[in-house]
Amino acid sequence: MEITWDSPRPHSERLLPALDQLLALASLRLADVAGFAISIGPGSFTGLRVGLATLKGLAFADSRPIAAVPTLAARAATAEGVPGPVAALLDARRGEVYAACFSAPGALAADVLDESVYRPEALAAQLPQQSALVLDAGAADFARRLCHLRPDLRPLPLPLGRPRAACVAQLGRRILATPAAALSADSLHPRYLRRPAAEALRTGHPLEP
């Protein structure tokens, strides 16, 4: 089941009411949920923190398992039926994108090109021939530059590349099917990829290991 829940309130204020609405529509209680799946990043620092803090509160009390789904894998999964390889691009600002390349939509691991932060020239040099591009609206300018450098690349039209909770749920179900791959609430940490400016300055390394 998918719903669209619009509200003028900020994400941090509308998330819990949206979850309540979803449970009500499915005739479920929170106690009926056996496990959780969450888009773990990369993404905006604030958005990831809000999502993780909410989920930790829901899952911590009775130690229900959590599937940490890579955000770029979930984006690539929206291209189901498209022949691979499939590269997912998410706007990272500063003329860069978070990107990873998968052999096929629905792959959990970036088995063609590791997730990282890329500029157009670097990504153009590393993507395989005829890669399909799944991108969010914020990465459109980046994709145009990338396709200028690599005319063989195939940008997929929106809304195909928009993030969908259903993709996170589907990938999360596969992770939860292997108990050893699930995480507990206290071991869940966001995957930022790019370190905050202060930490990058302190360590001399702009990206997470």
Side-chain angles (χ1 to χ4, degrees), residues 82-87 101-102 112 126-134 150 152-156:
V82 173
V86 175
C101 192
F102 305 81
V112 176
Q126 297 183 64
L127 285 177
Q129 291 290 315
Q130 297 294 320
S131 293
L133 305 179
V134 179
R150 286 279 306 276
D152 63 293
L153 300 177
R154 300 173 292 141
L156 300 179

Side-chain angles (χ1 to χ4, degrees), residues 41-45 48 71-72 75 87-100 114-119 123 134-136 139 142 191-195 207:
S44 75
F45 288 6
L48 289 175
T71 300
L72 294 172
R75 285 182 177 274
L89 281 62
L90 174 63
D91 183 26
R93 305 193 178 186
R94 308 177 196 171
E96 298 175 326
V97 290
Y98 302 113
D114 288 341
E115 62 176 16
S116 190
V117 181
Y118 295 93
R119 298 194 68 82
L123 191 56
V134 179
L135 53 141
D136 73 334
F142 186 101
R191 178 72 167 137
Y192 292 128
L193 284 188
R194 180 187 280 157
R195 284 175 161 154
L207 302 181

Side-chain angles (χ1 to χ4, degrees), residues 10 14 40 66 85 93 140 161 208:
R14 67 186 191 221
I40 198 65
I66 300 170
R93 305 193 178 186
E208 293 178 340

Side-chain angles (χ1 to χ4, degrees), residues 13-160:
E13 296 179 12
R14 67 186 191 221
L15 180 55
L16 283 173
L19 292 174
D20 286 339
Q21 182 186 16
L22 180 60
L23 288 170
L25 288 171
S27 299
L28 294 172
R29 301 170 302 151
L30 184 60
D32 298 321
V33 178
F36 300 92
I38 188 168
S39 180
I40 198 65
S44 75
F45 288 6
T46 301
L48 289 175
R49 284 196 295 267
V50 168
L52 263 69
T54 301
L55 184 58
K56 283 174 176 280
L58 297 175
F60 188 79
D62 49 12
S63 302
R64 277 175 283 187
I66 300 170
V69 178
T71 300
L72 294 172
R75 285 182 177 274
T78 66
E80 182 178 4
V82 173
V86 175
L89 281 62
L90 174 63
D91 183 26
R93 305 193 178 186
R94 308 177 196 171
E96 298 175 326
V97 290
Y98 302 113
C101 192
F102 305 81
S103 56
L108 277 167
D111 50 355
V112 176
L113 179 64
D114 288 341
E115 62 176 16
S116 190
V117 181
Y118 295 93
R119 298 194 68 82
E121 294 77 10
L123 191 56
Q126 297 183 64
L127 285 177
Q129 291 290 315
Q130 297 294 320
S131 293
L133 305 179
V134 179
L135 53 141
D136 73 334
D141 288 343
F142 186 101
R144 281 191 286 270
R145 172 63 178 159
L146 186 60
C147 290
H148 176 75
L149 296 167
R150 286 279 306 276
D152 63 293
L153 300 177
R154 300 173 292 141
L156 300 179
L158 296 173
L160 182 66

